[in-house]
Amino acid sequence: MDNAFDIQEIMKLLPHRYPFIMIDRILELTPGEKVIALKNVTINEPFFQGHFPENPVMPGVLIIEAMGQAGAVLAAKSLDRGPHGSLIYFRGMDKGKFRKPVTPGDQLICEMKFLKQRRTVFRMSGTAYVDEKVVAEAELMATFGERK
């Protein structure tokens, strides 16, 4: 498998669509180990209209969402859950920290690593970077669930 792919492949794995798809490209993927994803942050993002018009900052919860979506791609590729498989639901977060603001023009890099898995529940550690500087980090938990 090619370990990098574009938005078309991401959208085959995730149910998210504009304006809520938070990753643009997978730069690296090692099934069962880690994923590195890219989000191009532009002034055209709908959340910048209100957060904050005079000083646009990407909301921290959306940085976590980008990390979670990258982790969902890793889980789907690692556990062979394709586009017709189960959805991946966010279950919780520990050790979340925001270090620096993310602003228009930044390239947000999300790196997620598997920590452990028990049946359909998994835990990953995540770090988000801009220009090789840590902007956020957290441990995320998620689970597979059925599509309705």
Side-chain angles (χ1 to χ4, degrees):
M1 176 186 98
D2 186 2
N3 68 356
F5 49 87
D6 66 12
I7 189 66
Q8 299 301 320
E9 185 69 19
I10 292 167
M11 290 194 314
K12 289 177 186 174
L13 297 169
L14 299 180
H16 306 81
R17 296 296 180 265
Y18 178 83
F20 215 72
I21 192 151
M22 294 290 148
I23 55 177
D24 296 319
R25 178 176 302 277
I26 299 298
L27 302 175
E28 182 181 328
L29 180 105
T30 306
E33 292 181 30
K34 76 174 186 175
V35 65
I36 300 175
L38 166 79
K39 163 71 174 158
N40 288 307
V41 181
T42 72
I43 192 65
N44 297 326
E45 306 285 351
F47 50 80
F48 284 136
Q49 293 177 25
H51 198 268
F52 303 98
E54 299 297 318
N55 186 26
V57 174
M58 184 175 185
V61 295
L62 296 181
I63 296 169
I64 297 297
E65 178 66 26
M67 293 166 61
Q69 289 180 18
V73 168
L74 175 60
K77 286 291 194 176
S78 299
L79 304 174
D80 196 27
R81 302 277 179 130
H84 301 293
S86 302
L87 290 176
I88 302 170
Y89 292 102
F90 183 65
R91 191 166 178 156
M93 179 178 82
D94 290 324
K95 302 178 186 175
K97 294 186 175 145
F98 301 101
R99 305 281 185 198
K100 296 184 181 297
V102 176
T103 59
D106 287 343
Q107 284 193 321
L108 182 68
I109 305 294
C110 299
E111 182 174 0
M112 299 298 295
K113 296 180 181 176
F114 260 128
L115 293 176
K116 64 178 158 178
Q117 177 192 347
R118 191 174 289 157
R119 293 187 193 174
T120 60
V121 177
F122 54 93
R123 178 183 283 268
M124 295 183 192
S125 70
T127 308
Y129 303 89
V130 170
D131 295 329
E132 299 181 11
K133 293 183 178 103
V134 175
V135 296
E137 54 196 331
E139 287 185 7
L140 304 180
M141 292 159 287
T143 188
F144 282 100
E146 296 304 313
R147 290 183 183 264
K148 291 185 179 194

